[in-house]
Amino acid sequence: MAGKVVKPGKGDALIIVDLQKDFLPGGALPVPHGMRIIPIVNSYIHLFKERKLPVIATRDWHPPDHCSFKEQGGLWPTHCVQGTQGADFAEGLDLPEDVIVISKATNSDEEAYSGFQGTDLDEKLKERGVKRLFIGGLATDYCVLSTIKDAVALGYKVCLLKDAVEAVNVNPGDAEKALEEMESLGAVPLSLKDVTED
Ligand code: VGL
Ligand code: ZN
């Protein structure tokens, strides 16, 4: 779409979903090519900070016996255990000093893919007058998808940062399916050039 320029301004916020070591190559639940998005996410961060707009980073923050782990009968290898290195934000990620960190899936008996589920994210956004969210991170087909579904349901306008997401792709085609679903819900797909071009 030529000429699609969206300038982040008042009422906008950036949400970086689960850009943590365990979701990157070498981690416990690596997203293939997850590293690719780090410099791009950093460019979005710099743009939002320049404009004094809120930057939020969600993190998967599980207790050691979380129900999503295979040992507990869940789907996933043990990952993002609270306080471990794997749960740290990615190396090279330029989170600002005043980043708002949202920890999720912190109860043993409850899975939470969405950054809104069981957190005060909605409250924090409303306090700051946020109406539109620019969302990227990991993984397209799980936590990004769920966060965007909840954001739309809560009435936020959503821009999907298409160049700043990567998928787990447990089944081939999951990424495409998730992208289609998010767009059909009304999430507007954008790339860096759409927010930086004059
Ligand atoms: C995620 C699987 C398990 C994600 C979190 O951040 O997308 N995926 N826990
Ligand atoms: Zn998890």
Side-chain angles (χ1 to χ4, degrees), residues 71-86:
E71 282 173 0
Q72 315 294 326
L75 283 178
W76 307 111
T78 298
H79 64 279
C80 295
V81 174
Q82 298 169 6
T84 63
Q85 267 210 33

Side-chain angles (χ1 to χ4, degrees), residues 18 23 29 60 76 79 113 138-139 142-143:
D18 298 7
F23 294 126
L29 207 178
D60 219 23
W76 307 111
H79 64 279
Y113 289 137
L138 304 173
Y142 290 92
C143 289

